[in-house]
Amino acid sequence: MNKQQTIIIGSGPAGYSAAIYLGRSGYTPIIIEGLQPGGQLTTTTTIENYPGFPNGIDANELMDNMRQQAINFGAIIKTESVVSADLNKKPYTLTLDNEEKIITETIIIATGATAKYLGLKEEDKYKGLGVSACATCDGFFYRKKVVAVVGGGDTACEEASYLSNIASKVYMIVRKPQLRASKVMQERVFNNPKIEILFETNTINLFGENKLEGATLVFRKGLPDEKTYNLTIDGFFLAIGHKPNSEIFKPWLDTDSEGYIITKYPTTQTNLPGIFAAGDVADPIYRQAINAAATGCKAAMDAEKYITHNL
Ligand code: NDP
């Protein structure tokens, strides 16, 4: 086992940034790329809010650039996924999907989070063509258009308010007769003339020729006054929660009630020595590429310090 070697699990902005920093400091980071190389950003189109690209940058190009930058500084990339972990004692053991076992003293977990979708097959079909799970990322493309946000929590209210500054009209599709969001967020959407809330409503289908053109909704499903109708929309934003990709680490790592890995503020240190968490897997609130990149940098610096003082 090479003690200079840090295993980075995940290949979004957090994982690549950690690798760039570690590689540049003379360590040998190994990135286990995972099932979605490049992470969540690869499901969107253009990134316009990542500093340094005044004309925006294609999301896949941005991630390819980060990957190349990590490789240039000596990162080794494995196109495998971690399927199980044994963090019971040091050194830690990770098992990959090709059954390879990696023994390591330091791990940076940057496995991200996955936006929840409703599970309609059309959601996949129109991803990037009207369907999105991130208003901050994709809202700009709906200037003066009609959009819908699914969900009734704080995220949905926040996204609907954000979109109301861009779009001409924002529907909120809420399955219950009330919102789950905090009072202040509820008031914000109730008082916004551009937002119309469709309570007790579920989405059963999305349609459109080459891009999204509308959604089929059901009002009060299963009740005598049930009504099915088509709503014309250009954008359909999911805001029904995220799931952090922390499942395999949960037996050993402290997580919050949603599964986000808890780190010791202001560091990226988890409850186990030599194990750090960066990016969305440890971020229930901000979930932006720039924050992920920043915590990747922090995790690399924390790992370096740990290696220097402990190994
Ligand atoms: P929440 O779990 O709070 O809300 C999810 C919403 O999506 C609920 O309205 C839920 O409906 C709805 N939903 C879930 N599954 C489905 C489905 N299959 N079909 C239709 N609707 C569905 O998630 P959030 O992401 O909004 O918030 C996560 C946490 O982050 C919360 O603690 C929140 O307070 C916090 N947060 C705080 C912010 C702030 O303070 N500014 C901003 C954003 C988030 P139902 O109510 O029926 O279950």
Side-chain angles (χ1 to χ4, degrees):
M1 182 185 42
N2 173 358
K3 292 192 172 179
Q4 297 295 93
Q5 174 183 293
T6 294
I7 304 299
I8 299 169
I9 312 174
S11 57
Y16 286 144
S17 301
I20 291 165
Y21 271 77
L22 279 168
R24 204 164 169 272
S25 301
Y27 296 87
T28 317
I30 297 182
I31 303 175
I32 316 290
E33 203 165 41
L35 287 177
Q36 192 180 48
Q40 288 179 80
L41 279 193
T42 57
T43 66
T44 182
T45 49
T46 307
I47 308 292
E48 294 180 329
N49 51 8
Y50 199 88
F53 302 97
N55 302 315
I57 182 166
D58 175 82
N60 282 289
E61 192 185 340
L62 177 65
M63 297 321 296
D64 286 347
N65 288 348
M66 287 192 199
R67 187 177 195 272
Q68 191 55 51
Q69 202 172 346
I71 292 171
N72 292 351
F73 286 118
I76 296 164
I77 300 194
K78 283 182 176 279
T79 53
E80 311 290 338
S81 296
V82 175
V83 289
S84 67
D86 181 356
L87 312 181
N88 210 25
K89 58 174 174 24
K90 292 202 305 160
Y92 306 114
T93 305
L94 300 170
T95 305
L96 308 187
D97 49 3
N98 63 1
E99 292 180 12
E100 182 186 347
K101 287 198 187 302
I102 296 184
I103 314 285
T104 183
E105 294 272 355
T106 37
I107 302 174
I108 294 175
I109 301 171
T111 45
T114 307
K116 292 184 195 160
Y117 283 78
L118 294 173
L120 304 171
K121 67 176 189 307
E122 298 84 7
E123 284 173 317
D124 257 353
K125 181 173 166 189
Y126 296 113
K127 244 185 223 171
L129 297 168
V131 170
S132 166
C134 179
T136 326
C137 317
D138 298 328
F140 179 76
F141 303 110
Y142 298 88
R143 190 163 289 278
K144 297 201 177 357
K145 298 200 167 162
V146 179
V147 299
V149 176
V150 187
D154 280 323
T155 302
C157 291
E158 219 167 59
E159 307 240 302
S161 302
Y162 176 82
L163 287 165
S164 73
N165 293 322
I166 300 166
S168 58
K169 168 99 191 169
V170 181
Y171 292 100
M172 286 182 73
I173 303 171
V174 179
R175 65 180 175 183
K176 290 214 174 112
Q178 72 281 331
L179 297 176
R180 177 201 285 257
S182 55
K183 265 268 165 313
V184 55
M185 290 305 291
Q186 294 199 21
E187 264 153 34
R188 198 166 299 167
V189 294
F190 287 144
N191 294 330
N192 187 324
K194 274 194 179 173
I195 299 176
E196 181 177 339
I197 307 178
L198 309 173
F199 284 112
E200 296 182 82
T201 301
N202 282 285
T203 311
I204 53 166
N205 186 35
L206 300 172
F207 56 86
E209 198 66 31
N210 296 313
K211 58 178 178 51
L212 180 76
E213 289 168 12
T216 307
L217 306 181
V218 186
F219 173 66
R220 287 170 69 83
K221 193 172 180 357
L223 296 170
D225 55 350
E226 173 179 318
K227 192 177 109 190
T228 301
Y229 63 102
N230 286 340
L231 183 73
T232 303
I233 46 170
D234 305 292
F236 184 78
F237 288 85
L238 282 305
I240 59 173
H242 279 75
K243 193 178 175 305
N245 301 319
S246 62
E247 212 54 48
I248 58 174
F249 311 109
K250 270 188 178 169
W252 299 279
L253 295 187
D254 291 344
T255 57
D256 71 8
S257 59
E258 302 284 318
Y260 288 94
I261 296 175
I262 295 170
T263 54
K264 290 180 187 153
Y265 181 83
T267 72
T268 58
Q269 174 69 61
T270 67
N271 57 300
L272 287 183
I275 303 190
F276 308 90
D280 285 13
V281 74
D283 178 0
I285 299 173
Y286 302 104
R287 297 194 292 253
Q288 297 298 301
I290 187 171
N291 295 90
T295 54
C297 158
K298 285 169 70 174
M301 294 172 81
D302 291 340
E304 273 182 65
K305 200 165 157 191
Y306 176 79
I307 293 168
T308 307
H309 294 290
N310 298 281
L311 301 184

